[in-house]
Amino acid sequence: MARISLDPPNTLFTRLARAYSRRRYGTDIDPGLAMGHNPRVLGSYAIFETLVERWHSLDPRLGHLAVMAVAHRLGCSWCTDFGFWQSYAAGVPAELLRQVPDWRRSSAFSDTERAVLAYAEAICGEEDEVSEEMVADLAHRLGKPALVELTMLAALENLRSRFNRSLGLTRQGFTDRCPVPGAVQ
């Protein structure tokens, strides 16, 4: 259960934000409703997310896998649910997404995907979890612009997951819209 009301003040800005959310995602998204209690936070965050969508240095599949790895590592059910839906809609196979929590034992991932998943999880941990070798390997595999984008995507998902978990936001049923039943439990 949410730890903050998901009924923000009914201002022109929050009405516009809700209309946008419904048009884009088919529903009001809970993090947006929570942020609606502080219009400056909601506005700043919305602008940032809009700009993030314009990044294209990193292969989108790798970005989606990194986001899912962070959401799983931090235990954010809202982010896992929404991330699965977004990733699936972007063409990442459902079976691959289901294996992200157990990627170390799965044979479904390439060496580069494994390096990305390890790095994304390490970003969520302690300072020493990200090693010089890990960064150098990814810089070689992806190039520096893509490495920077990957790092920021994982850090951004870290922010999203911690915000949602802290306010008690849980899955909203986005995966139920995927044609594969029971994709994320």
Side-chain angles (χ1 to χ4, degrees):
M1 182 167 165
R3 296 181 181 116
I4 188 170
S5 164
L6 297 179
D7 188 22
N10 190 22
T11 66
L12 175 60
F13 183 66
T14 56
R15 287 193 305 272
L16 289 171
R18 290 177 89 154
Y20 174 80
S21 177
R22 288 181 193 134
R23 187 177 72 246
R24 175 118 191 233
Y25 306 114
T27 189
D28 291 326
I29 60 171
D30 290 351
L33 295 173
M35 286 183 215
H37 290 285
N38 186 325
R40 288 185 181 190
V41 169
L42 176 59
S44 299
Y45 181 74
I47 290 167
F48 182 64
E49 286 283 4
T50 300
L51 294 172
V52 168
E53 290 177 3
R54 297 178 184 172
W55 298 347
H56 298 293
S57 296
L58 180 67
D59 176 340
R61 176 181 170 123
L62 297 176
H64 285 291
L65 292 175
V67 164
M68 292 299 294
V70 171
H72 281 291
R73 164 112 186 223
L74 295 177
C76 179
S77 67
W78 195 94
C79 294
T80 300
D81 178 45
F82 187 75
F84 187 100
W85 178 70
Q86 277 196 315
S87 299
Y88 184 81
V92 182
E95 186 53 40
L96 189 68
L97 293 167
R98 279 194 211 93
Q99 293 181 54
V100 169
D102 200 30
W103 65 267
R104 286 175 181 82
R105 289 185 280 190
S106 172
S107 61
F109 299 98
S110 70
D111 289 342
T112 298
E113 289 169 339
R114 289 176 177 289
V116 164
L117 291 163
Y119 184 64
E121 285 188 357
I123 288 172
C124 301
E126 301 300 318
E127 182 180 351
D128 62 347
E129 287 187 48
V130 176
S131 69
E132 298 283 334
E133 295 79 20
M134 189 180 282
V135 173
D137 177 53
L138 283 168
H140 176 72
R141 288 174 187 270
L142 307 175
K144 289 178 183 172
L147 170 63
V148 169
E149 188 171 316
L150 170 63
T151 303
M152 187 56 80
L153 283 175
L156 176 57
E157 184 54 37
N158 198 314
L159 174 137
R160 293 174 185 137
S161 291
R162 291 179 188 277
F163 178 87
N164 294 337
R165 273 192 7 206
S166 295
L167 293 181
L169 306 180
T170 57
R171 74 182 303 276
Q172 230 179 304
F174 284 97
T175 53
D176 298 339
R177 300 183 199 174
C178 296
V180 182
V184 176
Q185 301 300 323

